[in-house]
Amino acid sequence: LDVLQSRAGTALRAEHFAAADQRFVRTADLRYFGQAFEVRVPLADGDFTPAVADRAVAAFHDAHEQLYGYCFRDRLEQQVEWVNLRITGVGPIRRPDLRRAPATGTARPTGERPVCFDAGADYAPTSIYWRPDLPAGAVVTGPAVIEEYGATVPLHPGFTAAVDGYGNLVVERKDALQPESEQEGRLPYIGARS
């Protein structure tokens, strides 16, 4: 285990995690002799002693019983096999602060082109928007296309896209034929504007 932990520490240092910030999680994969599946259990830190091994086997019996409804704790003839020893190196990262999107500017189309939203209908003249230019609070009503470097959002007729305070697009369907309580079908666009 010391060799594995040393390797994990070297990998974390290569990623610029200071030794004081590194954390290591020790686990073992155990199974009963003849089984084709393992159960992962925690291992105590420190030297690998018979007491540490005994605690891991006891944890395995408990976990096996919880998962499968039985264990062989009291059947000494049923061997426990050690399949894998693992060390997981953890280098904590700080979550980034979310930046609010600016609320200045106006949603203005960058152009227009014909787009087919329904194979049974004609092409519709469609406004094109450049997403990085859409400020927080802007609302675009379909038919429209919102373009950006890594994605294109076709906004079908009957849908709107609102830019929230963090630059996300919140797409909603507005169908006059449905009751008001069923109109809110929010589909968040995943990914913040950079």
Side-chain angles (χ1 to χ4, degrees):
L1 286 175
D2 291 337
V3 172
L4 291 175
Q5 187 161 322
S6 175
R7 287 181 188 167
T10 299
L12 288 171
R13 281 190 301 282
E15 295 293 328
H16 307 290
F17 290 103
D21 295 333
Q22 297 175 12
R23 190 171 58 87
F24 301 97
V25 179
R26 296 174 164 205
T27 57
D29 296 341
L30 287 80
R31 67 182 177 197
Y32 290 119
F33 180 78
Q35 287 184 324
F37 54 89
E38 297 83 33
V39 176
R40 187 167 297 168
V41 295
L43 284 178
D45 290 335
D47 294 333
F48 188 74
T49 64
V52 169
D54 289 343
R55 284 195 300 274
V57 169
F60 165 73
H61 289 304
D62 292 343
H64 195 281
E65 188 169 22
Q66 183 178 7
L67 287 168
Y68 303 108
Y70 71 95
C71 74
F72 296 125
R73 178 187 323 275
D74 299 324
R75 293 186 53 192
L76 299 180
E77 73 277 5
Q78 182 62 52
Q79 299 172 358
V80 174
E81 293 182 318
W82 291 68
V83 180
N84 297 304
L85 296 175
R86 300 176 189 273
I87 299 278
T88 303
V90 180
I93 58 173
R94 188 180 77 75
R95 291 180 183 257
D97 295 326
L98 296 177
R99 291 180 292 163
R100 306 264 323 165
T104 58
T106 306
R108 294 184 188 188
T110 58
E112 183 178 289
R113 67 175 169 257
V115 175
C116 180
F117 289 99
D118 181 351
D122 287 334
Y123 283 73
T126 303
S127 297
I128 309 300
Y129 293 84
W130 182 240
R131 183 170 178 207
D133 293 344
L134 297 176
V139 177
V140 177
T141 301
V145 174
I146 302 172
E147 299 176 327
E148 63 180 312
Y149 175 73
T152 301
V153 179
L155 198 58
H156 289 246
F159 285 78
T160 61
V163 181
D164 74 7
Y166 294 98
N168 298 303
L169 292 179
V170 179
V171 178
E172 294 181 296
R173 184 172 124 194
K174 299 290 185 185
D175 188 347
L177 300 176
Q178 290 183 339
E180 185 69 30
S181 63
E182 296 179 18
Q183 285 186 18
E184 300 294 327
R186 289 190 161 206
L187 303 171
Y189 177 81
I190 305 299
R193 179 167 71 185
S194 55

